[in-house]
């Protein structure tokens, strides 16, 4: 049982790490769309994606905390 919980915890942690990496990439894209090559429509799409990622990351973190 302990190994299964540990394995599950590692999987959830990996998922959380992937979401955080995707979030960093999205923040870089947002900066590009706002500062380097202004594109408000693209920036708004990135903001929506970031909002989803933040909610999903919070859900994953809650799952990690429950393990």
């Amino acid at each position: 049982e302990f190994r299964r919980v540990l394995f599950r915890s590692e999987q959830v942690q990996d998922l959380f790490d992937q979401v955080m990496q995707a979030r960093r990439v999205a923040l870089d894209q947002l900066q590009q769309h706002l500062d380097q090559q202004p594109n408000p429509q693209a920036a708004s799409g990135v903001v929506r994606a970031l909002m989803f990622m933040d909610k999903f990351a919070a859900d994953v973190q809650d799952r990690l905390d429950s393990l």
Side-chain angles (χ1 to χ4, degrees), residues 5-56:
V5 170
L6 181 61
F7 179 69
R8 205 173 313 137
S9 175
E10 289 172 356
Q11 288 178 319
V12 175
Q13 182 63 53
D14 288 346
L15 177 60
F16 184 78
D17 293 343
Q18 290 174 10
V19 172
M20 291 293 97
Q21 176 60 33
R23 189 177 183 282
R24 285 188 289 276
V25 169
L27 286 171
D28 288 343
Q29 290 174 343
L30 182 60
Q31 181 182 13
Q32 179 179 356
H33 293 312
L34 292 175
D35 297 334
Q36 297 168 358
Q37 297 173 350
N39 184 339
Q41 287 180 325
S44 68
V46 174
V47 169
R48 284 192 297 275
L50 282 165
M51 291 169 57
F52 172 80
M53 283 185 240
D54 286 346
K55 176 152 179 35
F56 187 70

